[in-house]
Amino acid sequence: MDRYEDILHTYWGYPSFRGIQRQIIESIATGHDTLGLMPTGGGKSLTFQVPALAMEGVCIVITPLIALMKDQVIHLRERGIKAAAVHADLSRQEIITILENCIFGGIKLLYISPERLASELFLAKLKHMRVSFITVDEAHCISQWGYDFRPHYLHIAEVRKWKPNVPVLALTATATPQVVADIQEKLHFANGQVFQMSFERSNLAYIVRRTNNKDIEMLKILQTMKSCAIVYVRSRKATQELAKYLCQHGFTATFFHAGLEAAVKDAHQQAWLQGNKQIMVATNAFGMGIDKPDVRIVIHYNCPDSIEAYFQEAGRAGRDGKKAYAVLLYGPYDKRTQKMHLRTAFPPKDDIRKVYEHLAYFYQIGVGSGAGHTFPFHLEQFCHTYHFEPRATEAALRILQRAGYIDYEHDPDAAARLFIPLTRNDLYKLDSLSPREDSIMTTLMRNYGTLFSDYTYINEERIAQQCNISVHELYQALISLSQRRIVNFIPQRKTPFISYLRHRVEERHVVLPKEVYEDRKEQMQQHVMAMLTYAEEDGVCRSRQLLRYFGEERANDCRMCDVCLKDKAKVTSQTVVNDAIWRIKALLSDDKPHAVQEILALPILPKVRDEVMRSLADDEVIEVNDGFISLAKS
C-alpha cells in the first residue's frame, strides 16, 4: 500500500481509489496544474484532501458556498484532520488566528470563498504561508462561457502572482470543451494536465414527459416510485406551494430555497436527509454538497436554463449506483417561458441606464460621488417608486455589476452588519452612552477592527454573550445607537445591498461593453436553445444527447430513456405483428379454405389479429368468402 492509499485507508477507510482519482492526485503532487472533470458523486473531494495530507504546507480550497465549506471542515475534523474555514461569521481576531495557524503549520486544509481573495488581510498573511497547492472547486464559475459565472473567481489568477510555483487543482462536474479551455486560460495553467471521467451515468434513466398538467403527471410518477425524491422548481414561492400540494395528496414533503433563514434551511434539509420527509421541493439553491445516496428520482417541474444545470441537478439521483430516474416535465408553455426569461435577463441598454440613474435618485447620490458607499436595497419599494418591472430591474442591476458600476449583493449572507461613522476620538468623547451601550461598543471594537472603515459582519450571539445580555437586548441597543447615528446597523436578515464601486456618472456615460452585454446574451441564448433542443428531440437517446453536449460520444444507446423505450416498444410491437402474420399464413399454407373460428383459435391478441387480418385483406394476401378464409390466388 503506497502513501496515498495509506492515507485513504487510515482516514476514510476505503481500500483503493476509483476512476481518475489517483491520476489527479499524482498530477497535482508532482507540481502540475491539473483540471479534473468528475460528474456528481465521482469523489472530487478526495482528489485534494488526500494529497493535502501527503504534502508539506497548507492546501487552500476556494469554494463558493459557505455552508459547504463549514460542512466539509466539520467532517474533516471528525476524522482528525486539521482543517479550517474563513468566512463572514467569524470575528477579525478569529480570522487572524486561523491564518496564523496556517503560517505556523497548524492547518492542512484552509477553505475560503473567492471573495476572500480580495482581502488585504488574507493577502498579507498568504505571503508568509507555505502553500502545498491551491484547489478551485466548482471551477466552471471562472469561465464566462460556463452557466454559473462568478466574477470573484477571476481574482484567483492574481493570487498566483504571490505564489508563482504553487500548482493549481481545478475541479468541476460540468464543463463543455469550450469551458475546459477557458478554465485553463483564466487560471494561467502553465504545465497543465486534464483528466476526465466519463459523464455517463449508466444507472440513471433520463426521461422527458410531455404533459399539459404537470401537477397530475408529478403525482403519477411519485405514486409509482414511492421513494426518496427531489423536485426542482424555478421560484421560491413554488417550493412552498408544491410541497403543500404533495402533502395534501398523502406524501411527506418539505421545501428549500435561498431566502429561508439558516435555521429553517437546516431543519428542512435534515428532515429530508434523515428520511423524515420523502420529498424535497427546492430551487437550484439546494443540492450542492449533499451526499444522499438513496435518491431514486429527481423531477424538474420547470425546464432549467442550461444543460449544465440540468445535468448537475439530475445527477443527484442514484449516487448509490442503483437504478434511478431523472424526469423533466415539459409543457406547452415551457418554450415560451424560456424565451421570455432570456428577454427579461437582458433588458434594452437604455432601460439599464435608466435603472442606474434612478438608483442615484433613490439614494440621493450626486454625479461624481458615491464610491465606496453601501445601502440596503428594497426592490419592491424601488420599483414601486419609479414604476419599474422587478425582474427586469434585477437583471439590469446584475449587468451594471458586471460592468463594474455597482456591487449588487442580491442574496447576501444572513449575518448582521455594522459600521461606525464617527472617528475613535469622537466616540470616546460621547457622554450619552449608558453603561450597557458602552459595554457593547467596547466589545464590538475589541472583536472587529474594521468597523471604522467599512461595514463589517458581526456575530450577534457572540457579542451578546460577552456583554452578558440577550440577543434581543443587544438588537434593541444597536437599533437605538443607529437612530442616534452613533453606528450604522443593518440587522440580520436577507436584505439585498447596493454598493457603489465607482463615483456616479451621468446616465449617458454608462458604458455596457460587448463582453458584458452582447456576448453574455448570446451565451445565454445558446444555453437556452440547447436545453429546449434536448427537451424536444425525441429521436436520439437522451444519454447520447447529454454526453455529446459535453464533447463525449457514447458507444451505444442507454436503452433506459424515454426515446430508447419508445423505440423498443416499436420493435416489440412489430415483432408481435410479424408473429401474427406468420401464424395466419402457416394455417392457410395448405391452400384450403379455413373457417373463421380456426383463425379465432390461434394464440394471437384480438386487437393484433383484427389489425393483421384487415391489412392482409387490403393487400390482397387473403380472401374472405362466406365465413371461410384462404390465401388469395395469384
Side-chain angles (χ1 to χ4, degrees), residues 441-465:
M441 293 301 295
T442 301
T443 304
L444 283 167
M445 289 185 288
R446 187 170 61 242
N447 279 276
Y448 305 101
T450 57
L451 292 170
F452 291 93
S453 59
D454 199 359
Y455 277 95
T456 302
Y457 289 107
I458 63 171
N459 187 319
E460 293 172 279
E461 290 184 3
R462 182 187 295 109
I463 299 301
Q465 186 177 20

Side-chain angles (χ1 to χ4, degrees), residues 346-354 510 512-514 517-518:
F346 290 89
K349 286 187 174 182
D350 285 345
D351 290 356
I352 298 171
R353 294 187 180 100
K354 286 176 183 175
V510 173
L512 302 173
K514 179 175 179 290
Y517 189 85
E518 284 85 1

Side-chain angles (χ1 to χ4, degrees), residues 13-31:
Y14 300 134
S16 60
F17 294 105
R18 58 192 175 99
I20 57 173
Q21 287 177 328
R22 172 175 283 281
Q23 293 168 275
I24 292 174
I25 289 169
E26 291 177 345
S27 175
I28 195 68
T30 52

Side-chain angles (χ1 to χ4, degrees), residues 208-225:
V208 175
R209 286 280 179 86
R210 297 185 182 180
T211 176
N212 292 322
N213 192 323
K214 293 187 177 185
D215 288 350
I216 298 299
E217 192 67 34
M218 176 182 63
L219 286 179
K220 287 179 183 177
I221 294 168
L222 293 172
Q223 285 164 352
T224 302
M225 295 297 297

Side-chain angles (χ1 to χ4, degrees), residues 99 116-129 155 158-160 162-163:
L99 296 179
R116 185 66 51 181
L117 299 174
S119 161
E120 292 183 9
L121 172 62
F122 174 78
L123 293 175
K125 297 294 184 182
L126 177 67
K127 296 175 186 177
H128 304 287
M129 290 182 198
H155 293 307
E158 295 296 317
V159 171
R160 298 203 71 175
W162 299 103
K163 298 290 179 180

Side-chain angles (χ1 to χ4, degrees), residues 431-530:
D431 56 7
S432 59
L433 296 181
S434 68
R436 173 179 289 177
E437 290 171 340
D438 186 63
S439 172
I440 290 170
M441 293 301 295
T442 301
T443 304
L444 283 167
M445 289 185 288
R446 187 170 61 242
N447 279 276
Y448 305 101
T450 57
L451 292 170
F452 291 93
S453 59
D454 199 359
Y455 277 95
T456 302
Y457 289 107
I458 63 171
N459 187 319
E460 293 172 279
E461 290 184 3
R462 182 187 295 109
I463 299 301
Q465 186 177 20
Q466 292 178 12
C467 294
N468 199 28
I469 58 177
S470 69
V471 174
H472 180 70
E473 288 171 326
L474 173 65
Y475 173 82
Q476 293 296 332
L478 291 176
I479 290 294
S480 175
L481 290 166
S482 187
Q483 290 171 344
R484 287 145 55 199
R485 301 189 183 280
I486 296 171
V487 302
N488 291 347
F489 175 55
I490 300 173
Q492 178 178 356
R493 59 187 181 189
K494 288 290 185 181
T495 302
F497 296 91
I498 296 285
S499 298
Y500 274 78
L501 301 178
R502 61 172 81 169
H503 288 312
R504 178 197 163 190
V505 299
E506 292 183 13
E507 179 182 344
R508 59 194 174 93
H509 290 147
V510 173
V511 177
L512 302 173
K514 179 175 179 290
E515 61 271 16
V516 167
Y517 189 85
E518 284 85 1
D519 289 353
R520 293 283 290 172
K521 183 177 181 180
E522 181 184 355
Q523 174 202 347
M524 184 177 178
Q525 188 168 14
Q526 290 173 354
H527 282 150
V528 167
M529 293 311 297

